Amino acid sequence: MKRKSVSLFLVVLLLFSLPAFSSGSAESGKAEDDIIEITYYDTLLTEKEAPMVKEMAAKYMELHPNVKINQVGMPVNDMAKKITALAASGDLPDGFFMPSEFMGPAKEMGIILDPSPYLDAEWVDSVIDGCLEDATMEDQLMFVPWHYIPQGIVYRKDWLKSEGLTSLETWEDFSKAAKAFTKDTNNDGRTDQWGFSMVSTRNGSGENRFIQWPRTWGVDEAVMEDGKWNLGFDEPGFEDALQYFVDLALVDGVVPPGLTETGYPEAAAYFAQEKTGLMLTGSNALGAILSDNPSLKGKLSSAPIPKKVRHVAPLQTSGIAITTSCEHPEVFADFLMFITEEQIAVNFALNSGRFPVIEELAKNEAFADEMYQGFMNAAQYAYPPQLFPGNGELLDICGEAYTTMLSGTSLEDAMETVLRRAEVLEDQYNK
């Protein structure tokens, strides 16, 4: 009898000594020698934020010794292709960073587990409504929101002031500033400073930025009407926006050379090197630019994307999707809530320009600096996420149009290809 009492005491002591999970959604803790492994693919591990993302996982594992988090780097422009291949081979990871244009295809493939049952209701209530909307498709939460990076304009406020300019409200204002910033600073007859860091590669980085131009001209590129998808490429605003975009480089000369080879890293580098003074981008560019050139702190500001007929601002909510292959979704969800907590999220935002999805944290006084405020103000013009299942192909139509025009194709020929491809795409998804 005495031996049984001692044994019972040891069992109770062992149970109370097990590490507790942070949110309660993963309280099914196991003994430390029974390791729970979580493997997910993250695009930020291929970018400047990699050390911070690794530190988040390390902190969680320190608090939960029975959890091992394996993080695999994958560039954002390669993510959809990689996950599609892994799904086909039956080798899906537990999760992955969800590119917005991949939401439709991923849902059609049936590979995403709705994380809602594993998330604290209080946590869900604390998330910005727009961020939850960005992460939802047809009433299914497709990923756990982590941060958002509203698109807007980053600009050199000191350059704008020195040129006697005060506004970037319209595209006319933008053109005026871009032309004023473009100069021969060495007085040797060669331009060595340009107005605009244009991301014009034919990939997700370029295409997701370009689509903002026709949107501000009033074009909605894909709309469901009477049960059928209608693509907006035949609207006059698309053609006008395309011509304006290309003319910034070919007519106004306000864009650095290497047009179709300038992706986001190159455009951000031009800005950090003080060779350009305007960039259409997400707020995350602030972190990249200041990391490369800390002397620019205090010289930067931001503004909503200029308008022709309206402002638009995709919130670009980012997060991690949990796949149907995940054996421990309650643990994975707990980790994904953990990385949105105040101490982690605010520090991450200040160093990366990726804002917290928790509503109260987004109001933190740390973001009072005017370089953040334009992006914060842009959120009032939130453009809903594109749910067209062929969104990747739609964006490729845009990419082909502007890259061929930048290489010399006429607007007429480019639009002929655009409309032909759009008709095929509409037929494909309206069967």
Side-chain angles (χ1 to χ4, degrees):
M1 179 70 74
K2 184 175 181 181
R3 183 177 299 169
K4 286 184 178 180
S5 299
V6 171
S7 298
L8 181 61
F9 171 78
L10 290 175
V11 169
V12 173
L13 182 63
L14 175 61
L15 288 173
F16 277 94
S17 68
L18 290 174
F21 287 95
S22 59
S23 69
S25 65
E27 289 178 353
S28 55
K30 297 188 177 184
E32 292 184 14
D33 60 348
D34 190 4
I35 299 298
I36 295 173
E37 287 201 42
I38 300 293
T39 298
Y40 75 98
Y41 285 65
D42 192 347
T43 68
L44 297 192
L45 291 167
T46 67
E47 300 181 19
K48 293 181 183 295
E49 294 88 348
M52 290 184 283
V53 176
K54 290 178 181 177
E55 184 181 0
M56 293 175 192
K59 286 182 177 178
Y60 188 84
M61 288 188 286
E62 182 180 347
L63 292 171
H64 307 88
N66 64 320
V67 177
K68 181 180 180 182
I69 298 174
N70 303 308
Q71 298 171 304
V72 182
M74 179 60 57
V76 65
N77 293 322
D78 298 335
M79 185 66 79
K81 182 178 180 181
K82 179 66 175 179
I83 296 300
T84 300
L86 290 173
S89 65
D91 196 27
L92 278 171
D94 295 298
F96 61 92
F97 185 101
M98 174 67 83
S100 59
E101 65 272 15
F102 189 51
M103 285 176 63
K107 186 164 186 6
E108 282 199 338
M109 292 162 64
I111 62 173
I112 304 301
L113 182 73
D114 190 331
S116 300
Y118 309 102
L119 300 171
D120 282 353
E122 185 177 344
W123 182 87
V124 174
D125 289 342
S126 71
V127 176
I128 296 168
D129 288 343
C131 293
L132 285 173
E133 291 171 9
D134 275 5
T136 302
M137 188 172 190
E138 297 175 0
D139 298 324
Q140 178 181 342
L141 194 60
M142 296 292 290
F143 60 86
V144 179
W146 177 10
H147 51 78
Y148 74 104
I149 45 177
Q151 282 199 348
I153 300 290
V154 176
Y155 67 94
R156 287 290 297 269
K157 66 178 182 180
D158 53 336
W159 289 9
L160 197 73
K161 182 178 180 180
S162 69
E163 297 296 338
L165 302 174
T166 58
S167 175
L168 290 171
E169 174 73 8
T170 67
W171 286 116
E172 289 75 15
D173 295 333
F174 181 89
S175 291
K176 189 181 296 184
K179 291 174 182 177
F181 292 173
T182 302
K183 296 180 178 181
D184 167 16
T185 63
N186 292 322
N187 297 313
D188 60 3
R190 295 181 298 179
T191 301
D192 55 13
Q193 177 180 294
W194 294 269
F196 179 39
S197 266
M198 176 190 281
V199 179
S200 45
T201 44
R202 185 179 174 179
N203 58 20
S205 292
E207 293 158 4
N208 277 298
R209 284 171 173 78
F210 166 77
I211 199 65
Q212 309 316 323
W213 267 266
R215 285 174 175 174
T216 62
W217 256 257
V219 176
D220 294 310
E221 69 274 16
V223 176
M224 175 67 78
E225 295 177 340
D226 299 325
K228 291 190 174 183
W229 286 103
N230 179 46
L231 304 187
F233 292 112
D234 57 351
E235 295 183 28
F238 181 84
E239 188 171 324
D240 293 342
L242 175 61
Q243 186 68 68
Y244 174 87
F245 179 82
V246 172
D247 283 351
L248 287 168
L250 301 185
V251 177
D252 300 335
V254 299
V255 179
L259 300 175
T260 58
E261 302 301 319
T262 302
Y264 168 73
E266 293 80 15
Y270 276 130
F271 197 105
Q273 294 162 8
E274 305 190 62
K275 293 183 180 296
T276 56
L278 293 159
M279 186 174 177
L280 189 153
T281 187
S283 55
N284 58 308
L286 293 171
I289 291 166
L290 291 174
S291 174
D292 285 346
N293 187 354
S295 70
L296 289 178
K297 188 169 181 62
K299 299 177 181 179
L300 306 182
S301 192
S302 60
I305 297 173
K307 69 176 182 179
K308 186 65 176 180
V309 299
R310 64 180 177 181
H311 292 295
V312 296
L315 292 185
Q316 296 191 124
T317 304
S318 298
I320 307 297
I322 301 178
T323 72
T324 51
S325 294
C326 183
E327 295 183 358
H328 301 283
E330 73 287 352
V331 177
F332 198 4
D334 191 67
F335 167 67
L336 297 178
M337 288 185 287
F338 171 78
I339 62 178
T340 68
E341 292 179 0
E342 181 171 6
Q343 187 174 358
I344 294 174
V346 172
N347 180 66
F348 183 56
L350 293 175
N351 286 283
S352 70
R354 299 172 184 268
F355 298 134
V357 295
I358 304 302
E359 189 164 10
E360 284 305 310
L361 299 187
K363 300 174 184 177
N364 193 291
E365 61 181 10
F367 307 125
D369 191 296
E370 66 179 279
M371 72 175 178
Y372 300 117
Q373 286 305 300
F375 286 113
M376 291 291 190
N377 293 338
Q380 67 184 296
Y381 306 114
Y383 194 88
Q386 179 53 263
L387 301 181
F388 177 53
N391 195 45
E393 297 160 87
L394 183 153
L395 290 173
D396 186 66
I397 293 174
C398 296
E400 181 180 19
Y402 67 73
T403 54
T404 54
M405 284 187 68
L406 289 171
S407 299
T409 297
S410 69
L411 176 64
E412 182 180 6
D413 288 345
M415 285 303 303
E416 182 179 345
T417 300
V418 165
L419 296 176
R420 174 176 51 78
R421 289 189 63 188
E423 184 177 359
V424 171
L425 192 59
E426 277 186 348
D427 290 345
Q428 179 181 345
Y429 287 95
N430 285 332
K431 289 181 179 179

